[in-house]
């Protein structure tokens, strides 16, 4: 067979003037503009499109849309390849390549199909039981099963496409562009409400020019409603360029809409159910609605000769359309003993066998359907009786009734109810501002759908204050279409869930083994757990279980549907929050300068900070040590713009700060700074920084870089929620001021040269002093504070001038041998000085642990004061800050090591009680010429001089260490104050 | 995916807000140095399966803290107000 | 010697004039607004502060979220209860002048702590809607409205100057990230940088 031999010369919604070439499993085929991959494959006579998940039975196309469980293909290759796409929803384009994915080594010859012969080895509950078995057994099975399952391959290259997100708001959101949805959108649109109508297909099912002309209505086609979340938030996935070989330059491939709708109208239609009978999975057995759709919309004959097998009236219409497209209808087999005259009229000139059922499907070459065997069935039990009848056919078009598509309704927390007359779950009580209409609501009559849509659209608009058109009266007395459930009571391999290979016998096994509730049934058999979420299988599965348990279906239970309705791409979820947009970064006014110098960067919160500046002829470690040594000997400048800065103003600013810092601040005069410590309410240290009194009622407080946000939130919470009576105004000014620390013996000389009108003499500008000046018209804030332990200053200038001052310091200080230094050297300098940072402020230390007990004012209440008095926070045996040096004076102290008394004790990970403390910071000290560290050790203050052991569970090193005063350099503070 | 009515800014997306704390907490008076009272303030919580009052912050909006009466089971928000508001009193009657 | 008083843009190094993105008429023009001054004004005494500011600077500070007011030489955006962002012309001792006028208020000159990007053109609302959860429909966010919200993951203040013209204010340190976001979001519509 070559060419589109199953395509009719006329009819359908395809454009025959635009032929398209595509490949499937490497073979070339032709289709037309408007085809889906599935319709094009059927037009070319391709019947087998995949292998089943567990038994690797050949499978053909079952449906024509969302319901498709079998025809999952891998699209494209390279970076744009995409697994698990439903061929029934893939729009054909020229050059499309697709491969069947659940097969090995090929579709025609599948070694794994041997599973089918030994299927008893893989019964229902197999996965469940192997999970219960020793875990390592599952590891063995898993490899084999995954290889055989072959659910497509994820791409291994970077996705070259652009994905976007889009927020939208509307008064009325209508999901589904069928007759009901379009009618609803029209009625809502006529009221003037802002309406969005979303339809998954490339076009609405009815052309509606009035809708297109309304400015207040947005029609989104190729858009699937994936999720219905709280507060009427819906996620729509719009495929902008999936129907093209590749997006145009700068074009977005998919757009994820996050819609906040005041009212939602769900017109999501209904999906046909398969019938459950032996070998109902043969390629060529498909849903009657699918065969009808291919015939009517695509002018494709699903085969040459069809048997229609049904338990309801809808398949008669399908038979008529199939016949009109040229398919020979060999017979309509109806399980019902009798049908109405009007139904029979639909099948004039067609053989109808009522009270019969298919008891087997014969397969020919490649497994495709070759014919069926029928028997009469007992009207009550459904048991086959009498002699078999064979009918040759290559298509079986089956209809087991219709399931309203209630997935979004269920996601919205609406209550689902079982409708016995329709033999289906239908929407019950809504939970959100939502209405279900049309087939999604169990209304299958076309005219009734349009009226229901109109009324729902108008009512939705009216509910949000629009003057909507009047309700129309529904023609009364349209009975719900009777749709009994039916499944063959016996026979081999009656598939219920095609995607997960769950048979009626598997459900029987689950029943016998006691997994009878719907949740147990689902997990035991994997019924409904595929990517199709059991769209074609749930109701049949429940019906079979209900039959075993002699209960009504609703007594067995229902399934709760979860988002997404149908799989969406990870790219779409990420949007373009990838790469540099993955998260925002914060950069100081000097960032570009650091980059230009080749500095390496590390992250502190969202900030990027320079670690060190590379120097020719030096290793990174040497360059860092050079920077640190240089600061102690001469002078260095470091970018400290990232420190949190909070402007605190108001009549009660001092009172407020007194309540949040442990320090006594009442004596802090204007023009002075103080080192301050803040506790959390639970009594542990929160953060440290400086408090500067800028004016009588104005302070500037600084925080550590990473705590800037949390501290601000903490202060705002206290100011707004707990102490609203205080007149205090807090504003983060971290980004307003570029911050530069100038540290080292030459710092005073350097600043004197740059700010000649400031008296830097000790008496005029002492340690912890604050001065404001002006340089070249720029306001400058100068703080005499030190993190390094050297004679040092920090200067703040408005950020747009930051780089000027940075370069001016370097130029002016050239004679003084000034260099820039980074966070690595800064860290060494502060460890040498015994200053704590995030490593020590780990949320578990008290002020006393760090030696700050003396700072805690006894004259005033402050946050954390009371709980800091708790026994556990004051007891002996707490870990206290100490300095660490290697006992041999040279071995580096391992980072993060545990501190032990006995080097030969069992590994501390097994004996936590043996751990006396931990190494919090460690470095090589260029000033001392040997490694040093800081640590928190039980009663450490009393152990100075003791030798303990630092053991790293990671490197298994154990290093003897001597405990010391944490201040290694200048303990008397002469450098600071000099 | 909540939609929270900031008492000042109106209905806004959840992404603009940050959960802050239990909404019923009153910090012990500054003069109160009872460890038990502070302990209860810091640690004692009565999380509900159902309706509870929470404190949120309109962190990417006006920066104000707000009380949110939320059903933890259904995610419904029944009332919002300023931190000092009594949510049991209808909004119009709050002084 | 370095000119200490040379004001540098936070976008130095990434801001390049020209046409970018999809071909054809640009959907928007992007630019940085420089040369203005920004003040943050916060008070616990709203009535007195409004009276004082109206007298001194001729602007009626708005009292409702989303409102702006334009005065003789300044524009005030509501940013919180008793809290405003003032856009005005730079002047020596600007902060002091406002603080003196608005007693019992806190005033901060935040000109350097923020950057202001302007987006103007027929696609402006579409581009903002890619990252901003606000309802930006002209009926919900008309000319003269303002709001604080998010663009992507960045806090912003959006000031609607005209039907298709907005000023976006954010923290200075986020300038390059917001610029990357805006230019990336605008690429599919085509954009000019001026
Ligand atoms: Zn707000």
């Amino acid at each position: 067979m070559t060419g589109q031999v199953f395509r009719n010369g006329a009819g359908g919604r395809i454009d025959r003037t635009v032929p398209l070439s595509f490949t499937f499993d490497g073979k070339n085929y032709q289709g037309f503009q408007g085809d889906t991959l599935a319709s094009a494959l059927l037009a070319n006579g391709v019947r087998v499109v995949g292998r089943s998940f567990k038994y690797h039975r050949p499978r053909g196309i079952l449906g024509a849309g969302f319901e498709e469980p079998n025809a999952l293909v891998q699209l494209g290759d390279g970076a744009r390849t995409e697994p698990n796409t439903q061929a029934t929803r893939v729009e054909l384009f020229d050059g499309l390549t697709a491969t069947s994915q659940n097969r090995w080594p090929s579709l025609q010859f599948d070694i794994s199909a041997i599973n089918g012969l030994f299927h008893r080895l893989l019964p229902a509950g197999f996965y469940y039981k192997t999970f219960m078995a020793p875990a390592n057994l599952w590891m063995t099975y898993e490899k084999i099963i995954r290889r055989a399952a072959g659910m497509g391959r994820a791409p291994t290259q970077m996705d070259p496409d652009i994905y976007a997100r889009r927020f939208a708001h509307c008064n009325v959101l209508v999901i589904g562009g069928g007759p009901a949805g379009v009618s609803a959108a029209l009625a809502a649109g006529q009221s003037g409400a802002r309406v969005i109508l979303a339809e998954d297909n490339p076009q609405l099912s009815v052309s509606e020019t009035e809708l297109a002309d309304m400015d207040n209505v947005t029609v989104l086609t190729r858009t699937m409603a994936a999720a219905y979340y709280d507060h009427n938030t819906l996620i729509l996935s719009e495929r902008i360029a999936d129907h093209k070989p590749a997006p145009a330059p700068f074009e977005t491939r998919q757009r994820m809409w996050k819609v906040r709708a005041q009212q939602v109208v769900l017109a999501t239609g209904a999906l046909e159910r398969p019938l459950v009978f032996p070998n109902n999975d043969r390629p060529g057995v498909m849903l009657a609605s699918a065969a009808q759709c291919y015939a009517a919309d695509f002018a494709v004959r699903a085969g040459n000769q069809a048997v229609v097998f049904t338990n309801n009236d809808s398949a008669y219409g399908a038979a008529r359309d199939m016949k009109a497209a040229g398919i020979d209808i060999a017979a309509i087999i109806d399980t019902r003993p009798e049908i109405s005259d009007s139904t029979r009229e639909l099948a004039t000139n067609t053989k109808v066998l009522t009270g019969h059922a298919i008891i087997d499907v014969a397969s020919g070459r490649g497994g495709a359907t070759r014919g069926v065997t029928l028997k009469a069935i007992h009207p009550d039990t459904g048991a086959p009786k009498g002699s078999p009848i064979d009918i040759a056919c290559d298509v079986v078009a089956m209809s087991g009734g219709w399931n309203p598509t209630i997935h979004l309704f269920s996601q919205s927390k609406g209550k689902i109810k079982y409708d016995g007359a329709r033999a289906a779950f239908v929407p019950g009580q809504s939970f959100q501002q939502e209405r279900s209409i049309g087939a999604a609501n169990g209304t299958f009559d076309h005219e009734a759908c349009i009226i229901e849509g109109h009324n729902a659209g108008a009512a939705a608009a009216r509910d949000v204050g629009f003057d909507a058109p009047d309700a129309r009266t529904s023609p009364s007395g349209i009975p719900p279409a009777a749709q009994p459930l039916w499944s063959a009571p016996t026979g081999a391999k009656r598939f219920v869930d095609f995607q997960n290979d769950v048979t009626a016998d598997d459900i029987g096994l689950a029943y016998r083994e006691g997994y009878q509730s719907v949740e147990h049934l689902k997990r035991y058999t994997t019924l409904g757990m595929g990517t199709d979420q059991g769209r074609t299988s749930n109701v049949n599965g429940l019906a079979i279980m209900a039959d075993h348990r002699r209960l009504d279906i609703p007594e067995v239970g229902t399934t709760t549907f979860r988002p997404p309705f149908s799989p969406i791409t990870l790219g779409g979820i990420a949007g373009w929050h990838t790469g540099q947009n993955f998260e925002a970064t914060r950069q100081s006014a000097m960032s570009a300068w650091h980059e230009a110098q080749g500095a390496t960067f590390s992250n502190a919160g969202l900030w990027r900070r320079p670690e060190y500046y590379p120097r020719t002829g030096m290793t990174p470690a040497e360059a860092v040590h050079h920077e640190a040594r240089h600061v102690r000997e001469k002078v260095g400048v470091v970018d400290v713009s990232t420190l949190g800065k909070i402007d605190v103003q108001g009549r009660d600013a001092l009172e407020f700060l007194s309540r949040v810092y442990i320090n006594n601040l009442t004596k802090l005069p204007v023009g002075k700074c103080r080192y301050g410590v803040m506790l959390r309410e639970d009594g542990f240290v929160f953060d440290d920084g400086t408090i500067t009194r800028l004016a009588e009622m104005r302070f500037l407080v600084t925080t550590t870089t990473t705590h800037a946000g949390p501290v601000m939130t903490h202060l705002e919470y206290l100011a707004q929620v707990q102490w609203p009576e205080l007149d205090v105004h807090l504003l983060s000014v971290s980004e307003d001021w570029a911050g530069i620390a100038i540290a080292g013996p030459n710092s005073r000389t350097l600043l004197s040269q740059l700010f000649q009108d400031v008296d830097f003499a000790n008496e005029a500008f002492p340690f912890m002093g604050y001065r404001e000046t002006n340089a070249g018209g720029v306001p400058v804030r100068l703080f005499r504070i030190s993190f390094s332990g050297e004679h040092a200053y920090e200067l703040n200038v408005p950020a747009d001038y930051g780089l000027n001052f940075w370069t001016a310091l370097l130029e002016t200080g050239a004679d003084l041998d000034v260099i820039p230094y980074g966070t690595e050297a800064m860290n060494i300098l502060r460890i040498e000085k015994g200053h704590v940072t995030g490593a020590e402020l780990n949320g578990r230390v008290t002020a006393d642990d760090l030696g700050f007990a003396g700072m805690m004012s006894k004259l005033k209440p402050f946050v954390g004061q009371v709980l800091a008095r708790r026994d556990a926070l004051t007891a002996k045996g707490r870990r206290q800050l100490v300095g660490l040096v290697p006992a041999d004076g040279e071995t580096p102290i391992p980072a993060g090591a545990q501190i032990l008394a006995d080097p030969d004790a069992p590994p501390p990970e097994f004996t936590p009680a043996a751990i006396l403390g931990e190494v919090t910071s460690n470095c090589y000290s260029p000033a001392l010429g040997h490694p040093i560290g800081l640590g928190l050790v039980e009663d450490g203050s009393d152990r100075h001089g003791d030798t303990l052991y630092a053991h790293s569970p990671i490197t298994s090193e154990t290093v003897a260490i001597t405990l010391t005063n944490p201040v290694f350099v200048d303990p008397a503070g002469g450098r600071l104050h000099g | 995916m909540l939609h929270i009515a900031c008492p000042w800014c109106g209905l806004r997306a959840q992404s603009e807000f940050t959960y802050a704390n239990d909404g019923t907490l009153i910090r012990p008076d500054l003069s109160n140095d009872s460890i038990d009272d502070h302990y209860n303030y810091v640690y004692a919580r009565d999380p509900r399966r159902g309706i509870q009052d929470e404190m949120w912050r309109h962190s990417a909006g006006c920066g104000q803290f707000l009380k949110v009466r939320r059903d933890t089971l259904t995610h419904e928000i029944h009332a919002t107000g300023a931190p000092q508001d009594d949510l049991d009193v209808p909004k119009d009657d709050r002084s | 010697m370095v000119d200490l008083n040379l004001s540098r843009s936070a976008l130095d190094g990434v801001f390049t004039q020209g046409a970018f993105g999809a071909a054809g008429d640009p959907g928007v023009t992007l630019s940085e607004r420089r040369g203005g001054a920004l003040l943050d004004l916060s008070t616990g005494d709203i009535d007195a502060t409004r009276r004082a500011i109206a007298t001194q600077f001729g602007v009626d500070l708005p009292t409702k979220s989303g409102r702006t007011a334009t005065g003789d030489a300044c524009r005030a955006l509501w940013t919180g209860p008793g809290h405003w962002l003032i856009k005005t012309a730079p002047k020596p001792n600007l902060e002091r002048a406002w603080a003196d006028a608005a007693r019992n208020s806190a005033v901060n000159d935040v000109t350097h702590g923020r950057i202001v990007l302007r987006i103007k053109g027929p696609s402006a609302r579409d581009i903002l809607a890619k990252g901003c959860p606000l309802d930006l429909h002209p009926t919900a966010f008309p000319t003269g409205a303002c709001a604080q919200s998010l663009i992507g993951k960045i806090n912003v203040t959006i000031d609607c100057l005209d039907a298709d013209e907005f000023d976006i204010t954010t923290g200075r340190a986020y300038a390059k990230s917001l610029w990357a976001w805006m230019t990336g979001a605008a690429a599919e519509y085509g954009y000019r940088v001026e």
Side-chain angles (χ1 to χ4, degrees), chain B residues 6-10 17 58 61-64, chain C residues 78:
Chain B
C6 171
W8 294 275
C9 306
F17 296 84
H58 195 189
C62 64
Q64 298 296 301
Chain C
W78 185 97

Side-chain angles (χ1 to χ4, degrees), chain A residues 2-326:
Chain A
T2 54
Q4 302 182 50
V5 295
F6 287 90
R7 176 92 67 186
N8 292 336
R13 291 163 69 150
I14 43 160
D15 184 351
R16 289 177 178 75
T17 64
V18 186
L20 306 171
S21 296
F22 69 102
T23 71
F24 179 66
D25 282 345
K27 209 170 157 218
N28 288 309
Y29 298 98
Q30 297 269 311
F32 292 121
Q33 185 74 44
D35 261 326
T36 63
L37 175 58
S39 68
L41 286 169
L42 285 172
N44 285 277
V46 177
R47 313 301 295 271
V48 180
V49 294
R51 290 270 175 182
S52 75
F53 181 67
K54 205 157 84 179
Y55 304 125
H56 277 242
R57 287 164 66 102
R59 288 281 165 80
I61 292 160
L62 183 87
F66 279 119
E67 70 279 16
E68 180 58 43
N70 293 336
L72 302 179
V73 299
Q74 180 104 22
L75 280 187
D77 46 33
R80 286 202 166 93
T81 190
E82 187 173 345
N84 290 332
T85 55
Q86 289 173 307
T88 51
R89 290 179 62 232
V90 172
E91 285 180 65
L92 199 66
F93 56 80
D94 200 48
L96 179 146
T97 61
T99 44
S100 57
Q101 57 185 30
N102 196 7
R103 51 148 185 136
W104 176 69
S106 78
L107 265 191
Q108 278 63 44
F109 179 77
D110 189 324
I111 288 172
S112 306
I114 204 151
N115 279 351
L117 302 175
F118 296 99
H119 68 267
R120 286 186 198 288
L121 297 175
L122 282 172
F126 171 78
Y127 298 95
Y128 188 84
K129 286 170 181 169
T130 44
F131 275 125
M132 303 281 287
N136 57 356
L137 197 59
W138 166 248
M139 308 294 269
T140 311
Y141 284 125
E142 190 201 15
K143 281 183 197 133
I144 300 165
I145 289 167
R146 286 207 189 282
R147 167 102 192 250
M151 294 294 282
R153 300 178 317 277
T156 54
Q157 298 167 38
M158 277 287 283
D159 192 327
D161 292 328
I162 303 165
Y163 300 81
R165 287 193 207 168
R166 166 79 192 228
F167 293 91
H169 300 251
C170 63
N171 302 118
V172 181
L173 171 63
V174 181
I175 306 297
V182 168
S183 174
L186 204 52
Q190 282 160 350
S191 77
R194 285 161 63 194
V195 177
I196 296 175
L197 170 63
E199 164 58 43
D200 186 64
N201 281 309
Q203 65 281 314
L204 303 179
S205 73
V206 283
S207 79
E208 184 49 75
T209 49
E210 192 184 344
L211 210 51
D213 291 342
M214 289 182 182
D215 285 345
N216 55 325
V217 178
T218 305
V219 177
L220 299 173
T221 54
R222 298 188 171 102
T223 302
M224 178 187 74
Y228 195 143
Y229 292 118
D230 296 311
H231 299 196
N232 265 13
T233 306
L234 284 90
I235 302 294
L236 313 179
S237 169
E238 182 187 10
R239 304 179 303 279
I240 298 168
D242 280 11
H243 60 292
K244 307 177 190 177
F250 303 107
E251 189 181 30
T252 296
R253 182 195 163 198
Q254 293 180 352
R255 184 178 288 136
M256 192 75 79
W257 292 74
K258 186 171 185 176
V259 183
R260 298 258 185 202
Q262 287 178 287
Q263 295 284 325
V264 172
V265 177
L266 297 177
T268 45
L271 296 173
E272 199 168 28
R273 288 192 289 259
L275 285 163
V276 179
F277 56 94
N279 290 318
N280 60 344
D281 68 326
R282 299 271 193 232
V285 180
M286 63 168 61
L287 295 171
S289 58
Q292 177 182 25
C293 167
Y294 292 120
D297 289 354
F298 301 101
V300 168
R301 285 167 280 119
N304 291 317
Q305 190 164 43
V307 164
V308 176
F309 183 27
T310 185
N311 67 347
N312 69 86
D313 287 350
S314 72
Y316 287 77
R320 182 199 52 209
D321 285 358
M322 289 160 68
K323 191 170 178 177

Side-chain angles (χ1 to χ4, degrees), chain A residues 511-823:
Chain A
Y511 166 74
R512 290 194 301 282
E513 298 206 345
Y515 297 92
Q516 300 179 354
S517 81
V518 60
E519 296 302 332
H520 286 153
L521 168 66
K522 183 173 170 177
R523 279 152 190 84
Y524 188 78
T525 62
T526 73
L527 177 78
M529 289 175 78
T531 56
D532 65 351
Q533 293 195 45
R535 267 190 262 290
T536 53
S537 64
N538 280 334
V539 171
N540 283 336
L542 286 173
I544 292 168
M545 180 55 85
D547 203 35
H548 283 296
R549 294 178 63 185
R550 303 190 191 291
L551 295 173
D552 291 333
I553 287 179
E555 293 176 289
V556 175
T558 63
T559 312
T560 306
F561 297 98
R562 314 261 181 220
F565 168 66
S566 190
I568 50 180
T569 59
L570 290 172
I573 293 169
W576 52 295
H577 288 155
T578 61
Q580 67 172 350
N581 291 316
F582 178 68
E583 65 177 3
T585 57
R586 300 171 79 180
Q587 303 198 5
S588 85
M590 288 80 86
S591 284
W593 191 93
H594 306 317
E595 273 170 41
Q597 300 303 306
T600 61
F601 285 83
S602 58
N603 295 335
L606 296 177
W607 290 98
R608 296 182 74 240
R609 306 190 71 183
E611 295 176 302
Y612 73 97
Y613 303 88
R615 282 175 183 272
T616 39
M618 287 191 196
T619 64
E622 285 166 353
V624 168
H625 296 155
H626 171 82
E627 289 176 8
R629 191 180 297 114
H630 199 91
V631 170
R632 295 253 179 258
E633 292 169 359
K634 291 179 174 159
V635 60
V637 292
V638 61
D639 184 352
V640 293
S641 304
T642 62
L643 291 178
K645 304 176 203 70
I646 302 170
D647 182 90
V648 185
Q649 297 189 46
R651 287 188 303 278
D652 299 315
L654 177 64
E655 170 64 19
F656 178 79
L657 292 176
S658 291
R659 293 182 186 185
V660 297
Y661 281 99
I662 68 174
N663 313 66
N664 188 356
L665 299 173
T666 46
K667 295 202 175 74
L668 179 65
V670 173
K672 287 286 261 181
C673 322
R674 184 156 298 169
Y675 175 70
V677 173
M678 229 180 249
L679 305 186
R680 299 188 309 224
E681 292 280 8
D682 62 7
F684 291 98
V685 174
F686 184 12
D687 198 51
D688 68 343
T690 56
I691 305 148
T692 305
R693 193 161 196 173
L694 302 177
E696 196 56 34
M697 289 188 286
R698 186 175 192 182
F699 297 79
L700 180 75
V701 304
T702 64
T703 73
T704 56
T705 299
T706 48
H707 277 160
V711 166
M712 189 67 184
T713 303
H714 170 71
L715 299 184
E716 284 283 6
Y717 176 78
L718 291 169
Q720 288 184 30
V721 181
Q722 298 297 347
W723 302 323
E725 68 280 5
L726 295 186
D727 180 61
V728 60
H729 304 274
L730 304 162
L731 183 72
S732 168
V733 293
S734 303
E735 302 186 4
D736 289 85
W737 300 90
I740 303 169
I742 305 97
N746 293 344
S747 58
R748 174 182 278 152
T749 316
L750 171 53
L751 290 186
S752 305
Q753 290 175 8
L754 197 59
F755 304 109
Q756 291 174 359
D757 57 344
V758 177
D759 183 355
F760 284 92
N762 235 4
E763 312 73 57
F765 195 172
F767 180 59
M768 296 310 259
Y770 168 73
R771 293 291 174 273
E772 289 175 6
T773 186
N774 192 293
V778 176
V780 180
R781 289 174 168 182
L782 288 164
F783 309 78
R784 187 167 160 198
I785 52 179
S786 174
F787 192 43
S788 59
E790 287 304 310
H791 187 103
Y793 302 84
E794 276 181 32
L795 80 78
N796 280 184
V797 292
D800 284 358
Y801 307 120
L803 182 58
N804 305 340
F805 280 79
W806 177 263
T807 47
L809 283 164
L810 292 171
E811 283 183 18
T812 308
D815 296 344
L816 300 165
D817 219 2
V818 66
I819 62 161
Y821 65 101
T823 53

